[in-house]
């Protein structure tokens, strides 16, 4: 601790952030370990989900035999009650049964695309087994590109979600905790320039960013071959711009709250809509058209869209200018308001 | 006396501060002389913290003058921050840092002053240098807070209730440290609601109540001012008639507390026998009898009719 650099208040304040983080095992877990566990779990669950055999329940061996030789179908013979239980529990996508008139009945959830596909495959198998001859001859040429699988979709989403969570939680809890224990008041009673106190949070965000972005990206690349087509520089630029936006939002959330409960509520209130709407786990296009303009200006949507375009499609930074501009606007406006209303004691 | 040393270390004049409808500080004046330890003594809610935080430049006053080391906050805030040592009531330092790391943090805010390790020695906490703040005892935390106030080598120290909540041994230890700071030539403004602390540490004391200073002077002067040398406290098996007690010569005041009666008296050797005779005359049995020399507590009682700490 003898170098002049180590005696600079910004360095000491950033060290404070660093020490509070690494000495809190739960913080490290949620920031760094949890995203890996989540990606592993989801990656394994959805790995080649569409290529495995489709589970269907049938109520007679005769129906099962009709599907023999269809490798894509895995029929299981159950009585009607057990078959419906299996459908309810999601173990099978479709129940196939022959009614009193000899008609085949398909039972499935038609809002589930996989169940619709299963119905078509089973129908196909039954018709062919009964002697249908197709007039057009076809063959499959299977093509699986990295960048179009669910895990490819997921990793940029998790990176964006991590940047948001770490920035908002990191600033929110630390600032309100310092205010609550009057540590902030004690610190501003010294000659320390106030901007350094806030600056230390930004410095700490930037120091942690390589880890919080690097961990899921490297994990995705090694375990699943998720690409970074846009290159590391672009990934860094997008991440920094995103992290600044969420740091500003975190600062605004924490600018007046006096208790941990109050700030927790505010943080969840701000983040929850983005977890749902911004396309972390599934495409935001599924929401109605009327909501799309609103979704597009959410900072997490902008960040994740930019990350996906860059990582998966290799779109250059000029191609994600709109997203970066949205993030920049959030940064500037939230910082401006936060600094105006910030409560130092 | 040189001109510099005749400038008060702190001058407060006509100071007022209200929070909504509470007049926390209601027009007070006092001066702290260089090198002395000045005490603001008063019960909870008297306005001590508000006063000291205005002097520390943390709370703006509604009106009045505050001059610290001859300077005003409005014009010389940056310089004042370098020269003041501050310990706030109820600050909890970061629990995850070690003692030494905490001091290095605070030391980095000041241009000059002792090193973190030297500051640690000033409060005799060297053996805890690598301990986490969260694991310190109350007294050790308070000593660390004092060390944080010393890292800028301040000319003037503000200590807000430095020993509140500590056990008697930790309090004595802190008093010794504060005594040492005085010997090092630092000026101290201290608030407390312990009369023994003010009596022990302070050259001069201002007694505060409801936002006003109701008396000030040296502890000796203040005690002399109430014209009472001793306090006799006693209890009886059944209630005692008070009027005859007031008539005893040398009894200045009679006050009833929850479980006892207190007489403020000038002379023990005449008043105690007279009291015993009166109790006997009323046919009562004495269940306890104690006497003590008058203290600042008794000054407060005689000025307000209340005790500093409501038991
Ligand atoms: N920030 C505040 N908001 C409202 N009332 C306050 C505030 N600070 C102090 N007070 C009130 O001002 C009075 C004096 O408080 P304080 O200066 O803390 O007294 P002391 O330090 O002597 O116990 C109390 O009645 C207290 O409730
Ligand atoms: Mg107080």
């Amino acid at each position: 601790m003898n170098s002049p650099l180590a005696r600079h208040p910004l360095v000491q304040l950033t060290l404070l952030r660093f020490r509070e983080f690494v000495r809190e095992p739960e913080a490290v877990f949620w920031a760094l370990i949890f995203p890996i566990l989540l990606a592993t779990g989801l990656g394994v669950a959805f790995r080649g989900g569409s290529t495995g055999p489709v589970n269907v329940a049938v109520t007679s061996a005769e129906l099962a035999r009709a599907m023999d030789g269809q490798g894509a179908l895995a029929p299981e013979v159950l009585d009607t009650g057990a078959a419906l239980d299996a459908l309810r529990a999601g173990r099978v996508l479709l129940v196939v049964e022959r009614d009193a008139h000899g008609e085949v009945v398909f039972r499935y959830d038609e809002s589930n695309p996989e169940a619709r596909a299963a119905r078509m495959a089973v129908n196909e198998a039954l018709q062919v087994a009964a002697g249908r001859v197709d007039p057009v001859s076809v063959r499959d040429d299977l093509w699986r590109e990295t960048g179009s699988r669910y895990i490819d979709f997921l990793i940029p989403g998790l990176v964006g979600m991590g940047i948001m969570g770490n920035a908002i939680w990191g600033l929110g809890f630390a600032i309100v905790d310092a205010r609550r224990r009057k540590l902030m008041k004690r610190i501003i009673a010294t000659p320390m320039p106030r901007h350094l106190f806030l600056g230390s949070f930004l410095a700490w965000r930037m120091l942690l960013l390589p880890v919080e972005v690097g961990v899921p990206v490297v994990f995705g690349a090694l375990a699943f071959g998720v690409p970074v087509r846009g290159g590391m520089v672009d990934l860094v630029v997008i991440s920094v711009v995103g992290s600044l936006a969420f740091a500003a939002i975190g600062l605004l959330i924490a600018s007046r709250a006096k208790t941990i409960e109050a700030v927790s509520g505010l943080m969840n209130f701000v983040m929850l809509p983005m977890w749902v709407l911004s396309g972390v786990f599934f495409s935001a296009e599924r929401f109605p058209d009327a909501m799309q303009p609103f979704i597009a200006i959410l900072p997490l949507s902008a960040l994740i869209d930019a990350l996906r375009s860059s990582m998966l499609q290799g779109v250059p930074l000029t191609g994600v200018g709109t997203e970066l501009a949205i993030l920049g606007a959030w940064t500037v406006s939230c910082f401006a308001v936060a600094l105006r209303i910030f409560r130092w004691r | 006396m040189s001109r510099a040393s005749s400038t008060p270390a702190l001058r407060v004049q006509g100071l007022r501060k209200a929070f909504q409808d509470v007049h926390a500080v209601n027009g007070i004046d006092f001066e702290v002389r260089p090198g002395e330890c000045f005490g603001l003594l008063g019960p909870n809610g008297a306005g001590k913290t508000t006063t000291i935080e205005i002097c520390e430049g943390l709370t703006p006053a509604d009106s009045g003058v505050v001059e610290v080391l001859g300077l005003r906050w409005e014009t010389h805030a940056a310089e004042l921050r370098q020269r003041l040592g501050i310990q706030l009531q109820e600050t909890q330092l970061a629990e995850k840092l070690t003692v030494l790391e905490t001091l290095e943090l605070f030391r980095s805010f000041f241009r000059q002053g002792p090193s973190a390790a030297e500051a640690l020695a000033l409060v005799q906490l060297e053996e805890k240098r690598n301990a986490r703040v969260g694991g310190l005892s109350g007294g050790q935390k308070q000593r660390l807070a004092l060390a944080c106030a010393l890292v800028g080598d301040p000319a003037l120290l503000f200590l807000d209730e430095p020993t509140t909540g500590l056990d008697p041994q930790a309090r004595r230890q802190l008093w010794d440290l504060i005594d040492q700071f005085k010997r090092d030539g630092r000026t101290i403004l201290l608030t407390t609601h312990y009369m023994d602390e003010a009596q022990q540490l302070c050259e001069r004391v201002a007694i505060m109540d409801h936002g006003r200073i109701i008396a000030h002077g040296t502890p000796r002067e203040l005690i002399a001012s109430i014209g009472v040398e001793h306090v006799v406290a006693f209890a009886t098996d059944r209630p005692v008639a008070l009027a005859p007690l007031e008539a005893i010569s040398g009894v200045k005041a009679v006050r009833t507390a929850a479980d006892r009666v207190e007489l403020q008296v000038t002379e023990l050797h005449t008043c105690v026998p007279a009291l015993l005779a009166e109790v006997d005359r009323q046919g009562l049995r004495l269940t306890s009898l104690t006497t003590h020399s008058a203290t600042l507590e008794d000054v407060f009682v005689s000025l307000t009719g209340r005790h500093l700490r409501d038991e």
Side-chain angles (χ1 to χ4, degrees), chain A residues 1 7-9 12-13 16 19-20 23-24 181-183 185-192 345, chain B residues 53 58-59 81-82 86 90-97 101 104-105 108-110 132 148-149:
Chain A
M1 282 305 140
R7 279 188 255 119
H8 192 279
Q12 283 291 328
L13 284 164
L16 167 65
R19 287 164 173 156
E20 289 204 317
R23 292 174 190 176
E24 179 84 56
R181 37 175 69 231
K182 310 226 164 126
L183 178 59
K185 185 171 168 186
R186 178 65 188 87
I187 285 180
I188 60 159
T190 71
M192 178 212 66
R345 44 182 303 171
Chain B
E53 289 191 353
L58 290 172
T59 304
R81 292 251 166 267
Q82 292 284 355
I86 290 176
E90 291 180 347
T91 292
Q92 297 166 279
L93 296 163
E95 308 230 312
K96 298 256 184 307
L97 291 198
E101 287 165 352
E104 275 162 359
L105 173 68
S108 76
F109 302 151
F110 291 86
R132 293 275 174 92
C148 289

Side-chain angles (χ1 to χ4, degrees), chain A residues 36-330:
Chain A
I36 293 192
L37 295 181
L38 194 60
T40 312
L42 292 172
V44 168
F46 289 93
R47 177 171 228 172
S50 55
T51 61
V54 176
N55 293 321
V56 298
V58 296
T59 54
S60 69
E62 164 256 330
L63 284 169
R65 265 196 307 281
M67 294 173 212
D68 274 357
Q70 296 286 327
L73 295 174
E76 186 181 357
V77 183
L78 297 169
D79 63 46
T80 306
L84 291 180
D85 283 344
L87 183 63
R88 255 180 235 116
R91 287 201 305 279
V92 299
L93 289 165
L94 180 72
V95 172
V96 187
E97 127 182 86
R98 204 181 279 279
D99 72 5
H101 313 288
E103 198 170 27
V104 172
V105 182
F106 294 129
R107 219 169 267 176
Y108 64 105
D109 172 7
E110 56 88 47
S111 72
N112 178 348
E114 284 188 62
R116 283 206 303 271
R119 180 217 174 273
M120 280 164 61
V122 170
N123 182 45
E124 179 100 1
L126 293 180
Q127 305 297 351
V128 171
R132 187 184 81 188
V133 178
D134 292 329
V136 180
S137 155
V138 298
R139 91 187 144 83
D140 291 337
D141 177 9
L142 295 178
W143 203 62
R144 308 202 66 217
E145 192 201 4
T146 57
S148 60
R149 302 160 305 171
Y150 181 65
I151 188 70
D152 301 310
F153 179 85
L154 183 65
I155 290 287
L158 290 182
V159 170
M161 191 174 78
I163 290 175
M164 171 171 87
N166 288 326
I168 290 186
W169 273 314
L171 264 75
F173 282 130
I175 288 176
V176 174
D177 188 53
R179 184 181 292 125
R180 182 180 65 89
R181 37 175 69 231
K182 310 226 164 126
L183 178 59
M184 186 146 76
K185 185 171 168 186
R186 178 65 188 87
I187 285 180
I188 60 159
T190 71
M192 178 212 66
R194 293 183 180 193
H195 65 264
L196 291 187
F197 182 74
L198 301 180
S200 72
F201 283 96
L202 290 187
W204 170 233
R205 293 290 357 117
M206 292 305 121
L207 285 175
L208 195 59
L209 200 58
V211 186
E212 71 193 25
V213 172
V215 163
V217 167
V218 169
F219 170 78
L222 295 180
F224 297 101
V226 174
V228 187
R229 296 214 168 91
M232 278 305 174
V233 174
D234 287 13
L235 179 64
V236 167
V237 170
I238 295 169
S239 303
V240 167
V241 171
S243 188
L244 286 175
F246 287 111
I249 293 170
L251 188 70
L252 180 59
I253 293 173
S255 60
R256 298 191 72 76
K258 282 185 164 169
T259 64
I260 294 292
E261 291 77 12
V263 79
S264 302
L266 277 174
M267 291 191 294
N268 287 336
F269 177 76
V270 168
M271 287 195 284
L272 192 71
M274 290 195 266
W275 282 325
V276 176
L277 296 174
S278 288
V280 177
F281 298 101
F282 55 88
S283 171
E285 319 245 316
R286 294 197 181 197
F287 291 103
D289 285 348
M291 289 174 69
Q292 293 300 331
F294 168 72
I295 292 176
I297 60 165
L298 291 176
L300 186 59
S301 310
L303 176 58
I304 291 179
D305 287 351
L307 286 169
R308 287 206 177 111
S309 301
S310 172
M311 286 175 65
L312 305 183
Q313 292 154 36
V315 173
L317 288 179
T318 48
V320 292
T322 314
E323 285 81 3
L324 296 182
I326 290 173
L327 291 169
W330 280 103

Side-chain angles (χ1 to χ4, degrees), chain B residues 146-176:
Chain B
L146 284 185
C148 289
L150 291 174
V151 289
D153 193 20
L156 176 55
L157 269 173
F158 290 108
L159 308 179
D160 195 359
E161 308 231 1
T163 68
T164 297
L166 300 185
D167 60 63
Q169 194 197 343
R171 290 180 67 206
R172 296 223 155 262
Q173 207 169 11
L174 231 62
W175 289 354
D176 289 344

